[in-house]
Amino acid sequence: MTEFRTIAAARDALRKGDVSATELAEEYIARVEGADALNAFVHKTPEIAREQAAAADARLKAGDAPSLCGIPLGIKDLFCTKGVPSQAASKILTDFRPEYESTVTTKLFADGAVMLGKLNMDEFAMGSSNETSTYGDAVNPWRRGNDETKLTPGGSSGGSASAVSADLCLGATGTDTGGSIRQPAAFTGITGLKPTYGRVSRFGIIAFASSLDQAGPMARDVRDCAIMLSAMAGHDAKDSTSADLAVPDFEAMLDGDIKGKVIGIPREYRMDGMPEEIEALWAEGRKMMEAAGATLRDISLPHTKYALPTYYVIAPAEASSNLARYDGVRFGRRAQLAQGDGITEMYEKTRAEGFGDEVQRRVMIGTYVLSAGFYDAYYNRARKVRTLIKRDFEQAFADGVDAILTPATPSAAFGLGEMAEADPVQMYLNDVFTVTVNLAGLPGIAVPTGQSAQGLPLGLQLIGKPWEEGELLNAAYALEREAGFVEKPAKWW
Amino acid sequence: MLDLTYESPKPKLISGATGEWELVIGMEVHAQVSTKAKLFSGASTQFGAEPNSNVSFIDAGMPGMLPVINEGCVAQAVRTGLGLKAAINLHSAFDRKNYFYPDLPQGYQISQLYHPIVGEGEVLVELGDGKARLVRIERIHLEQDAGKSIHDMDPSLSFVDLNRTGVALMEIISRPDIRGPEEAAAYVLKLRQIMRYLGTCDGNMQNGNLRADVNVSVCRPGDYERYMESQDFSHLGTRCEIKNMNSMRFIQQAIEYEARRQIALLEDGKSVTQETRLFDAEKGETRSMRSKEEAHDYRYFPDPDLLPLEIEQAWVDDIEASLPELPDAKKARFIADYGLSDYDASVLTAEHESAAYFEEVAAASDGKLAANWVLNELFGRLKRDGDKAITESPMTPAQLGGIIGLIVKGDISGKIAKDLFEIVYTEGGDPSVIVEERGMRQVTDTGAIEAAVDEVIAANPAQVEKARANPKLAGWFVGQVMKATGGKANPKAVNEIVSAKLGL
C-alpha cells in the first residue's frame, strides 16, 4: 500500500478511490499490532476500526465523505468512548467502560473517523513524561542516534505523540492542561495544537483541571491539525464553558502568507541555563518567520516567571476536587476491605491503592492550597496572578502583535527513568514555556523545526490570539514551510 | 398594596435562676425548587420514584460529565427573591463545597458561597393579635441537594439512593431576628406560604422539600437591642446550629430545649460552645454532632465547570410582572374589600387556592356570606370527606356562589341552604335548578303563610292562651308553621304573621 504521510494525502487518495478505508484500516491495525514496544496503544479496538472503515467506505462511495472519513486515528485514554475502556491511565478506573461518548469522539466519528484504540498517557494527565501511567511508560520512537536508551515521548499525551510519530495512526486526540499536547509533540517531531479554551467541548473528557483543560489535535503537520480541529471544535450545550462561535474551515485559511504580520519575541522566555541548542533553535525560528515575511518585535510578558507556581496551585486545586468522585462507591476499582472497615477505610484504601504517587501528590497539594487559612495565600493569589498573566498577553496583542514565538520545551526528549530521582519540580519545569498559554486560555501550537545534536526533534511554539486559531495555524504553516522538517524516526520497534 | 400595621411582639423570655433570658434565632431554610428537572442535569425531580431511577450520568458523578444550569431553577430563585422583596443579583456564581460522602457522588456540592443570586429581603411574620415580626433575609442561594443514604436495610451494608442528588434547593438565610420558638415556626410557615403562592416550592415537609437549620443563642434583655443598633454580634450569645429539621413541632421543641440547655450552662458558670447539633425527636433533646474545631473544611472555590451566572434586568422585570398577588397584599385586600375579620382573612389566604376559591364564590354572591360558607361549611365538609384539599372539592365556586345567591335573594332559608349544600356537594348540579325541581323554594307568599298560621292557631287554642300570656312562646308557633311548610316558609314572614295573628 502507498505510504500516506498525512491525513490530507490519505483523504485525497480515499476520495479518489486509490485506497479504501478498509485497506487503510487493515494497514494501520497491523502497524499498531506490531508496535507493542512503544506501548502507545493501551486498548486496541480493531473490530470498531473495521466497522467504522466499512461505514466510511459506504460514505466515500456515496460521495458523502468529510475530510476525516476513513482516516485511522488514535484516541487518548482521557476521552470517554462508549463501551471501550476509558481509564485516564489510572488503576482507580480499572475496567471502567463508559456508557457515553465524549463530544470530541462523537464529532470525529460523525465525520467518519476510524478509531484504532486508546492511547497511553500520564495518569489523569498529570505528568510530562508518560511515566505515571498505570500501563507503564509509552516510548518515544526517536532515539539518540544509535543509543538504544528508551526516551520519553513527553506527556501527558505521550501515547498520542508516540503513535503519530511512529506512523501508527494518521492523527490522534490529545489534551493540554499545561503543555500536554505541545511538549510531547515537540519531543516526537510532530505538530500539536492546543486550541483557545472553550473552542473544543470538554464533555466526556475525564477532568484534570477544568479551567485549563482543552482537547486538541496531534498530527504530522499543520494542515492535518487544521483538518482535525475543524472536526473537533464547536459549541456544545453540554459544556457550559464551550464558546458559541462558528467554526471556520481552518484548512482553507492556510496560505502561508504572513507578510506584514508582527511576531512577538518575549524576552522573559529566555531562561537562565537554557540549553544552547534551544537558544539556537529559537534564533533559527525567528529567521524563518522573517524569511516568510513577518516582522519580529521584542516584547515583554512581565509576569511569566510566576506562571509555573501559579499553575501548580490552580491545577492541583481543581484536580483535588475533580478527582474526589473516584471513591470506589459507584464505578472503577474499590479496594479490598477488611472486616469492620467502614466508609472512611473504603475511601482511604481505594484512593491510596488506586491513585499513583504523582496524582496523590497533586491531590494533596490541591487540598492544601484550598484549605481554610491557606486559600487566600495560595489559591486566591494564584487566581490574581493568572489575571495578570492573561493581561500581559492582551497587552501584547493590543500593541499590534499577531502571534508570539517561543521554544516549546526547554530540552529535547530525555531518557525514561532519568528523572526518577529528581525533585518533582524538575519535571514541572518541562511546562515552563507552555503553561502561560493555558493560564491565559490562548491557542498555542508546537511545530517541529529542528533537531538536537543527538538527532532528536525540537519544536517551537507559536501563541495566537483567542479564537484566532485560523491565523495561528497559518503562521505555523509558514514556519513549517520554512523549517521543512520532514525527518522521521528510524523504525526499531 | 394596602399596608396593615402591626406591633412587634415581645421576645420570648425564659426565667433562669439568675434572671431573665431572651432567645435569638436565625434560620437557614432549604426549600426544594419546584421544577421538573434537576439544577444541573435533565433528570426528573419526581418524588417517590424507584430508587436510583431519576439519575443522570451527571448526577452520578461519572467521569467527564459536566453540569449545565437549568434556567427554570434560576427563574424560580429570582421569583422567590422578588416575592421576599429581595435584591436580585444580576451577577452570581457557583462554588464547590468539597466533602466526601457516598450520597454526594461528585465529592462536592455545587452551591453559591461567594456570590448568591438573591440578596437582602424581608418577611412579615404575623403572630396574631395584631402582632407581627419583620424578619430580615440575608440572602438566598441556589445549591444541589444530596442523595439519601440508607443505613437500616442491612446489618453490614449501607445503600444509597441518588434520586434526590442534584435536585435544586434554595437556601434562604435569615438574620437573627426571630425571638421565640413559635415565631420560628410561624416564619417557616410564612416562607412556605409565600413560596406556594409563587409556585416556587411545594413546601411539603414530609417529603423533605422544606427543611430548616436553626441557629439558637440566648442573651440578657437589652443585649439584642444593642446588637440591632450596632449590628455587632458580640452583644449576642454564642450560637449553636441545630441541623436539618422537617417539622414545625420539632423546630419548636428543639429551640425550646436548646435555649434551656444553654441557659443552664451559662447559669452554671460554663460557656456555650459553638457547634452543630442534632435534634433527637424521640428524646426531645439536642445533642452535639460536631464542634467548631471538628467542623469540616469545605475548601470552597469557584466551580470552574460553570461560567458566572449573568442575568438581565429585563428578564427579572418580566418575572416580576408575572408575580401573583402575595399573601400580605391579598389579606389586606380581603379585609378592606370584603369586610372580613383579620382571622378570617388569614385563614382564607393561607393557601392561594382557598383564596382564589373564596373570591370566585364572593364574586357570584356576597363577600361576608361567602367567607362564612367557605370557612365553616365547605372546609368542614372537605375535612369530613377524607381531608380533601380545596382543589379537590367536588363543589365548584360557582355552585357554592349559586347557593349563597339563593339565600341572598330570599329564595331559600339558611336551613334549606344547608340541605341544598349537601345535595350539591354529593350529587352535583345547578343549585337553582335543584331548588325548583325539588320544591325547596322558600314560601314568601304571605297568603299561604297566613293560612298555615291560621291552621296552627285553630288547632292549638291552649297554646294560644299561653302565648298571649307569655309572648316568648310565640316561637313555638313559628316552629309549627315551619314544620307544616316543610321549612320552606320565609322565617321572617312567619314571625311577623304569627305575632300579628296572636295580637302580640
Side-chain angles (χ1 to χ4, degrees):
Chain A
M1 196 189 76
T2 329
E3 177 75 24
F4 298 109
R5 192 182 132 76
T6 61
I7 291 171
R11 169 192 61 188
D12 297 345
L14 283 164
R15 284 180 177 167
K16 271 197 280 179
D18 293 348
V19 68
S20 73
T22 300
E23 288 170 293
L24 204 56
E26 291 301 340
E27 168 67 20
Y28 279 89
I29 289 167
R31 290 187 192 187
V32 169
E33 263 323 308
D36 286 351
L38 296 174
N39 198 25
F41 279 87
V42 292
H43 293 289
K44 298 165 190 167
T45 55
E47 292 315 316
I48 293 175
R50 288 186 179 108
E51 271 175 43
Q52 289 174 331
D57 278 329
R59 285 178 79 174
L60 283 157
K61 209 169 165 190
D64 158 41
S67 283
L68 291 177
C69 193
I71 301 295
L73 300 179
I75 304 297
K76 189 178 181 178
D77 201 33
L78 203 61
F79 291 78
C80 288
T81 42
K82 192 172 180 179
V84 176
S86 306
Q87 285 187 224
S90 180
K91 188 174 168 187
I92 209 160
L93 278 172
T94 301
D95 294 332
F96 177 63
R97 285 176 160 79
E99 290 187 29
Y100 45 87
E101 190 75 44
S102 79
T103 295
V104 167
T105 45
T106 301
K107 282 168 148 310
L108 291 172
F109 298 155
D111 272 9
V114 171
M115 175 169 74
L116 295 167
K118 302 300 282 288
L119 293 163
N120 207 346
M121 55 180 281
D122 280 296
E123 184 181 7
F124 282 105
M126 297 178 191
S128 304
S129 63
N130 211 119
E131 291 170 288
T132 68
S133 167
T134 191
Y135 304 114
D137 309 342
V139 180
N140 195 327
W142 289 82
R143 286 176 162 178
R144 295 170 179 142
N146 294 323
D147 181 346
E148 293 187 2
T149 305
K150 285 185 177 174
L151 303 179
T152 176
S156 67
S157 310
S160 304
S162 175
V164 173
S165 178
D167 282 325
L168 307 186
C169 53
L170 281 164
T173 60
T175 62
D176 189 317
T177 305
S180 283
I181 285 176
R182 292 159 289 158
Q183 181 253 25
F187 275 10
T188 56
I190 66 166
T191 305
L193 171 70
K194 183 207 93 79
T196 312
Y197 182 81
R199 179 60 100 172
V200 176
S201 169
R202 294 184 295 113
F203 180 84
I205 300 173
I206 297 171
F208 161 15
S210 311
S211 76
L212 300 160
D213 295 345
Q214 187 63 196
M218 300 174 76
R220 182 60 63 190
D221 65 8
V222 171
R223 181 176 300 278
D224 285 1
C225 283
I227 292 169
M228 281 186 72
L229 181 62
S230 287
M232 294 166 73
H235 179 242
D236 181 6
K238 290 184 280 192
D239 173 2
S240 309
T241 63
S242 105
D244 194 359
L245 288 176
V247 179
D249 178 350
F250 292 113
E251 186 186 9
M253 296 172 78
L254 301 179
D255 61 9
D257 181 6
I258 58 164
K259 280 190 192 68
K261 296 288 180 191
V262 177
I263 304 298
I265 309 297
R267 69 173 68 98
E268 290 80 7
Y269 282 60
R270 193 162 287 114
M271 304 277 175
D272 284 343
M274 190 154 89
E276 189 65 32
E277 59 189 12
I278 298 295
E279 179 62 58
L281 180 85
W282 194 11
E284 275 302 307
R286 294 198 288 269
K287 281 186 208 150
M288 292 173 196
M289 294 310 280
E290 271 187 317
T295 309
L296 300 181
R297 186 190 294 172
D298 285 327
I299 61 166
S300 175
L301 301 169
H303 297 92
T304 301
K305 63 173 176 252
Y306 304 115
L308 212 52
T310 298
Y311 174 83
Y312 277 97
V313 169
I314 290 174
E318 293 182 11
S320 70
S321 176
N322 282 335
L323 269 57
R325 65 187 60 198
Y326 307 104
D327 56 8
V329 175
R330 301 169 310 288
F331 50 78
R333 185 181 178 282
R334 180 187 295 177
Q336 193 70 43
L337 300 182
Q339 194 64 35
D341 279 354
I343 186 69
T344 306
E345 289 78 15
M346 183 172 111
Y347 288 147
E348 288 176 356
K349 291 183 179 179
T350 296
R351 290 166 66 83
E353 292 173 15
F355 289 143
D357 289 349
E358 184 58 30
V359 171
Q360 292 192 29
R361 174 167 21 249
R362 296 199 197 188
V363 167
M364 284 190 275
I365 292 171
T367 303
Y368 178 80
V369 300
L370 288 176
S371 50
F374 300 102
Y375 180 85
D376 283 327
Y378 291 103
Y379 185 76
N380 237 357
R381 178 160 302 186
R383 290 221 303 161
K384 287 176 189 161
V385 176
R386 181 177 187 175
T387 304
L388 296 174
I389 290 167
K390 193 167 179 224
R391 208 170 285 163
D392 284 353
F393 284 103
E394 286 165 358
Q395 190 60 51
F397 292 131
D399 289 346
V401 168
D402 294 296
I404 294 166
L405 182 73
T406 78
T409 59
S411 71
F414 48 88
L416 287 164
E418 263 174 29
M419 305 276 274
E421 302 303 316
D423 183 321
V425 174
Q426 285 302 310
M427 188 68 93
Y428 298 167
L429 283 170
N430 266 288
D431 302 330
V432 67
F433 298 124
T434 47
V435 288
T436 51
V437 171
N438 300 79
L439 289 168
L442 301 172
I445 186 168
V447 179
T449 59
Q451 280 172 282
S452 73
Q454 293 168 311
L456 295 178
L458 294 171
L460 290 173
Q461 170 179 238
L462 278 163
I463 302 166
K465 298 176 190 171
W467 315 116
E468 298 285 357
E469 287 89 350
E471 293 263 341
L472 176 66
L473 283 160
N474 198 38
Y477 184 56
L479 177 63
E480 173 185 87
R481 289 208 300 197
E482 291 296 329
F485 184 94
V486 292
E487 288 75 10
K488 283 190 179 184
K491 187 171 185 303
W492 53 263
W493 55 92
Chain B
M1 80 174 247
L2 289 156
D3 269 318
L4 297 177
T5 49
Y6 291 97
E7 198 186 312
S8 287
K10 297 248 182 305
K12 170 156 178 122
L13 285 175
I14 296 180
S15 299
T18 60
E20 308 246 76
W21 297 88
E22 288 181 10
L23 271 65
V24 179
I25 299 159
M27 297 188 85
E28 295 168 18
V29 172
H30 300 258
Q32 182 181 322
V33 176
S34 173
T35 53
K36 290 205 162 56
K38 296 183 179 181
L39 184 53
F40 295 111
S41 83
S44 164
T45 58
Q46 193 205 337
F47 180 80
E50 277 293 296
N52 294 310
S53 58
N54 293 342
V55 186
S56 75
F57 292 128
I58 297 167
D59 307 321
M62 299 302 276
M65 290 299 105
L66 297 171
V68 177
I69 187 83
N70 174 349
E71 187 181 322
C73 296
V74 178
Q76 291 289 58
V78 168
R79 204 170 157 80
T80 303
L82 293 169
L84 301 180
K85 298 177 206 138
I88 304 302
N89 295 323
L90 298 180
H91 173 99
S92 65
F94 291 95
D95 305 295
R96 292 186 185 176
K97 176 181 181 178
N98 296 282
Y99 65 95
F100 283 91
Y101 208 67
D103 60 24
L104 188 75
Q106 295 169 134
Y108 53 84
Q109 176 196 33
I110 305 178
S111 181
Q112 295 190 301
L113 176 69
Y114 298 109
H115 303 285
I117 182 149
V118 178
E120 294 183 328
E122 61 183 42
V123 181
L124 188 72
V125 182
E126 289 150 71
L127 298 157
D129 299 334
K131 294 201 165 48
R133 179 79 67 196
L134 192 68
V135 176
R136 294 169 300 162
I137 300 294
E138 183 185 324
R139 55 184 279 168
I140 304 175
H141 63 254
L142 277 167
E143 64 183 26
Q144 294 176 301
D145 205 345
K148 206 164 77 183
S149 293
I150 303 151
H151 302 295
D152 54 5
M153 273 175 67
D154 185 283
S156 58
L157 296 173
S158 287
F159 293 86
V160 177
D161 178 3
L162 298 181
N163 280 352
R164 213 177 58 192
T165 302
V167 166
L169 297 179
M170 294 178 281
E171 182 167 337
I172 305 166
I173 303 178
S174 83
R175 300 276 183 201
D177 292 353
I178 301 162
R179 308 303 311 282
E182 301 77 17
E183 285 186 32
Y187 167 74
V188 176
L189 267 177
K190 187 61 182 279
L191 282 182
R192 179 179 181 275
Q193 182 193 24
I194 293 172
M195 290 189 289
R196 285 175 60 85
Y197 265 64
L198 294 166
T200 57
C201 173
D202 296 341
N204 188 330
M205 295 189 86
Q206 274 119 19
N207 294 356
N209 64 33
L210 200 63
R211 311 192 288 271
D213 301 341
V214 187
N215 284 285
V216 180
S217 68
V218 295
C219 65
R220 292 294 192 179
D223 288 344
Y224 186 80
E225 287 67 27
R226 281 186 276 278
Y227 152 71
M228 282 302 271
E229 205 166 285
S230 60
Q231 291 299 308
D232 177 354
F233 286 101
S234 69
H235 293 294
L236 301 179
T238 303
R239 68 191 152 88
C240 288
E241 183 181 25
I242 313 160
K243 284 290 222 196
N244 214 21
M245 284 176 290
N246 65 347
S247 123
M248 299 294 177
R249 196 159 54 86
F250 293 165
I251 289 172
Q252 297 185 63
Q253 287 174 358
I255 293 171
E256 187 81 34
Y257 177 89
E258 180 58 20
R260 292 185 186 277
R261 186 189 71 87
Q262 292 183 13
I263 291 167
L265 278 173
L266 295 169
E267 295 200 327
D268 233 17
K270 296 177 186 151
S271 57
V272 175
T273 315
Q274 188 179 332
E275 61 183 357
T276 303
R277 300 179 69 85
L278 279 177
F279 180 63
D280 182 332
E282 271 174 40
K283 293 186 182 154
E285 59 186 40
T286 65
R287 58 184 150 79
S288 183
M289 189 174 151
R290 53 179 181 255
S291 70
K292 194 181 174 190
E293 288 69 37
E294 294 165 320
H296 290 299
D297 181 353
Y298 289 119
R299 291 171 283 121
Y300 278 100
F301 75 106
D303 191 328
D305 284 333
L306 292 160
L307 299 173
L309 183 57
E310 309 281 355
I311 56 176
E312 308 260 338
Q313 185 60 47
W315 188 66
V316 175
D317 293 344
D318 284 349
I319 294 174
E320 186 153 32
S322 76
L323 292 190
E325 183 182 35
L326 290 171
D328 291 347
K330 199 179 283 288
K331 181 181 160 186
R333 186 168 59 79
F334 280 14
I335 292 171
D337 290 5
Y338 299 110
L340 304 187
S341 69
D342 187 291
Y343 178 80
D344 285 356
S346 290
V347 177
L348 283 172
T349 55
E351 299 281 351
H352 68 93
E353 292 92 347
S354 320
Y357 191 104
F358 158 74
E359 289 216 84
E360 271 192 68
V361 177
S365 54
D366 166 83
K368 268 194 129 148
L369 273 175
N372 287 339
W373 277 83
V374 171
L375 288 168
N376 302 321
E377 299 307 320
L378 183 61
F379 281 4
R381 188 64 185 86
L382 289 168
K383 198 165 178 61
R384 288 198 305 279
D385 189 8
D387 212 1
K388 277 202 166 94
I390 189 121
T391 47
E392 301 165 315
S393 168
M395 182 182 285
T396 66
Q399 286 172 320
L400 183 52
I403 294 170
I404 298 168
L406 292 171
I407 302 172
V408 174
K409 271 199 288 176
D411 284 357
I412 54 172
S413 66
K415 183 177 174 302
I416 290 289
K418 288 191 184 179
D419 297 341
L420 179 59
F421 177 93
E422 188 57 28
I423 293 167
V424 175
Y425 188 94
T426 48
E427 299 171 25
D430 181 337
S432 57
V433 173
I434 294 169
V435 163
E436 290 306 327
E437 284 176 356
R438 305 196 187 183
M440 295 168 83
R441 184 184 281 279
Q442 182 162 255
V443 179
T444 43
D445 173 353
T446 46
I449 295 171
E450 276 181 37
V453 173
D454 287 343
E455 237 174 79
V456 175
I457 288 175
N460 298 284
Q463 288 291 333
V464 174
E465 287 311 312
K466 284 184 192 168
R468 286 195 171 136
N470 179 6
K472 278 185 190 164
L473 295 177
W476 184 84
F477 287 92
V478 174
Q480 290 301 307
V481 172
M482 292 305 286
K483 207 167 163 186
T485 57
K488 289 179 285 182
N490 184 324
K492 198 167 158 243
V494 175
N495 256 320
E496 283 165 6
I497 293 166
V498 165
S499 296
K501 298 258 176 192
L502 290 174
L504 300 175

